[in-house]
Amino acid sequence: MADPAVRIPDAKVALSTASVYPESTATAFEIAARLGYDGVEVMVWTDPVSQDIEALRRLSDYHRIPVLAVHAPCLLITQRVWSTDPWTKLQRARTAAEKLGAATVVVHPPFRWQRQYARDFVDGIWRMADETDVRFAVENMYPWRYRDREMLAYAPDWDVTKDDYRHFTIDLSHASTARTDALGMLDRMGDRLGHVHLADGRGSAKDEHLVPGRGDQPCAEVLERLALNGFDGHVVIEVNTRRAMSGAEREADLAEALAFTRLHLASARPGAPGSPSATSALRAPRR
């Protein structure tokens, strides 16, 4: 009997606005539309447009490119964006996602020096997730390293699979920096995987965010496994193009990343013998 036809899964491929830095959020919408991405993930950071829901709505409408996810302002450089209170930041990210029609808010675990926030984080994320249909997808991070020293900068842990969250974001560049097995992490996330940040790395202490296929991470294998599992979340290209010598070179990198992602999402055959049957991004009962 002939093999079943290849079927591209329901997962949409989005461009993180961080992928065009140091260009603007507005530029990210323009490039995503021109290259044929399914949508964007807005990184809320120091660009005023990224913080302005109405400006984002106008960009989305003008370029006919939806906002699929909002990345809450969790970086060191965004400590004063939207508020200095981390819970207020998450509330505003949820409001932005709801008003823009985005399915997911991406959030990092707290820094260790945010002691009260870290202490309440797991329970607080569950409370917020219970108040909305928007997914709060907590992202894996990594230890900070300098020469032969290592600092655990995130709490409760940089490996978010050690704690109890309804949804996870897996970031392959962060897995590379942590020098952890990305496929093992994917297995531990299981049906709670709701969101993917796709980028490559070579195990450097620096978070590299290389174009997929240019490092040693199992980017292709992850995408093929998502396809076999019927993943219906979002795959977000979050790569570093700061060294691009021109706008054309940046766009070439982002076009290559998109082609790589779609190729490997389409290369697996859902329903093939031995393929997993679980569907991801289900709301799992709390342990």
Side-chain angles (χ1 to χ4, degrees):
M1 186 174 70
D3 287 343
V6 171
R7 182 180 69 83
I8 298 175
D10 294 333
K12 293 182 178 179
V13 183
L15 179 66
S16 169
T17 59
S19 295
V20 307
Y21 181 83
E23 296 293 336
S24 68
T25 301
T27 299
F29 276 84
E30 179 184 348
I31 292 174
R34 185 160 55 244
L35 294 181
Y37 278 83
D38 297 317
V40 300
E41 175 179 302
V42 173
M43 171 68 81
V44 180
W45 64 299
T46 56
D47 180 351
V49 171
S50 73
Q51 305 170 30
D52 186 329
I53 294 173
E54 289 309 312
L56 293 169
R57 194 198 310 276
R58 289 194 294 271
L59 283 169
S60 178
D61 290 345
Y62 179 79
H63 293 288
R64 298 183 180 180
I65 193 88
V67 176
L68 299 180
V70 174
H71 195 309
C74 305
L75 306 176
L76 284 172
I77 64 170
T78 61
Q79 290 186 87
R80 296 187 177 277
V81 171
W82 275 356
S83 174
T84 56
D85 175 61
W87 291 114
T88 300
K89 292 174 184 284
L90 295 191
Q91 290 164 359
R92 293 189 65 171
R94 179 187 65 193
T95 297
E98 290 171 342
K99 290 185 175 180
L100 294 167
T104 303
V105 168
V106 179
V107 56
H108 293 180
F111 293 113
R112 295 190 77 85
W113 56 84
Q114 296 175 300
R115 293 182 182 178
Q116 186 61 49
Y117 179 45
R119 190 176 300 118
D120 298 338
F121 184 68
V122 177
D123 288 338
I125 289 293
W126 272 96
R127 284 195 299 271
M128 294 192 74
D130 285 338
E131 295 169 355
T132 180
D133 290 330
V134 173
R135 297 170 179 168
F136 280 87
V138 186
E139 183 175 6
N140 62 298
M141 299 304 291
Y142 46 84
W144 289 4
R145 294 190 181 93
Y146 179 72
R147 294 181 179 173
D148 60 346
R149 295 185 179 184
E150 182 176 289
M151 183 178 85
L152 300 179
Y154 298 97
D157 203 285
W158 63 263
D159 181 352
V160 294
T161 64
K162 293 181 178 180
D163 290 289
D164 181 21
Y165 301 109
R166 179 171 287 167
H167 292 113
F168 295 110
T169 296
I170 190 168
D171 185 303
L172 272 68
S173 178
H174 294 175
S176 175
T177 304
R179 298 169 190 166
T180 193
D181 176 9
L183 291 173
M185 179 170 282
L186 195 71
D187 287 340
R188 294 194 301 277
M189 289 181 173
D191 289 350
R192 295 187 179 204
L193 177 68
H195 202 69
V196 177
H197 280 169
L198 191 69
D200 219 328
R202 301 191 187 99
S204 168
K206 296 180 179 179
D207 185 17
E208 297 171 284
H209 283 275
L210 303 177
V211 171
R214 297 185 185 178
D216 58 16
Q217 289 301 289
C219 296
E221 293 91 334
V222 166
L223 292 169
E224 290 161 12
R225 188 174 296 188
L226 295 177
L228 285 171
N229 285 350
F231 180 70
D232 63 354
H234 301 139
V235 178
V236 178
I237 304 299
E238 190 182 73
V239 297
N240 185 344
T241 63
R242 295 177 205 178
R243 295 187 178 181
M245 301 301 291
S246 65
E249 183 178 337
R250 174 175 289 108
E251 288 198 32
D253 285 347
L254 298 177
E256 178 184 332
L258 177 61
F260 179 100
T261 304
R262 287 203 168 131
L263 171 66
H264 290 287
L265 279 174
S267 64
R269 291 184 294 107
S275 65
S277 59
T279 301
S280 66
L282 299 176
R283 286 194 169 186
R286 191 171 186 182
R287 293 192 296 272

